Amino acid sequence: MNLTTEDKRLLQELCDRHSVSYDKVIQLLKTVNAYELKDRRTGIYDALREIITSDLH
């Protein structure tokens, strides 16, 4: 996943505005990206759920 500096700034601004954890959004995007090219995406929902419910701020 390649976000430009401007993309990261905009994402941070949106996360701040909506009280969403920037780190969690980045982890979610990385996870979706990792599963994107797989033939089977078994386990993606568990991986996403784990990120969402983690204490990562």
Side-chain angles (χ1 to χ4, degrees):
M1 179 181 73
N2 295 324
L3 294 177
T4 65
T5 303
E6 179 61 18
D7 291 338
K8 290 177 185 178
R9 186 197 62 75
L10 180 58
L11 182 58
Q12 181 69 57
E13 182 181 316
L14 289 168
C15 288
D16 291 345
R17 184 181 306 163
H18 296 284
S19 301
V20 175
S21 169
Y22 173 81
D23 293 330
K24 280 190 180 187
V25 172
I26 291 296
Q27 282 302 114
L28 290 167
L29 290 171
K30 285 180 180 179
T31 301
V32 169
N33 191 27
Y35 278 87
E36 192 170 302
L37 299 177
K38 293 184 179 184
D39 290 335
R40 295 190 58 192
R41 296 181 184 181
T42 303
I44 189 170
Y45 293 119
D46 291 333
L48 296 175
R49 186 177 299 107
E50 187 174 323
I51 295 166
I52 290 169
T53 59
S54 73
D55 288 335
L56 187 65
H57 296 291

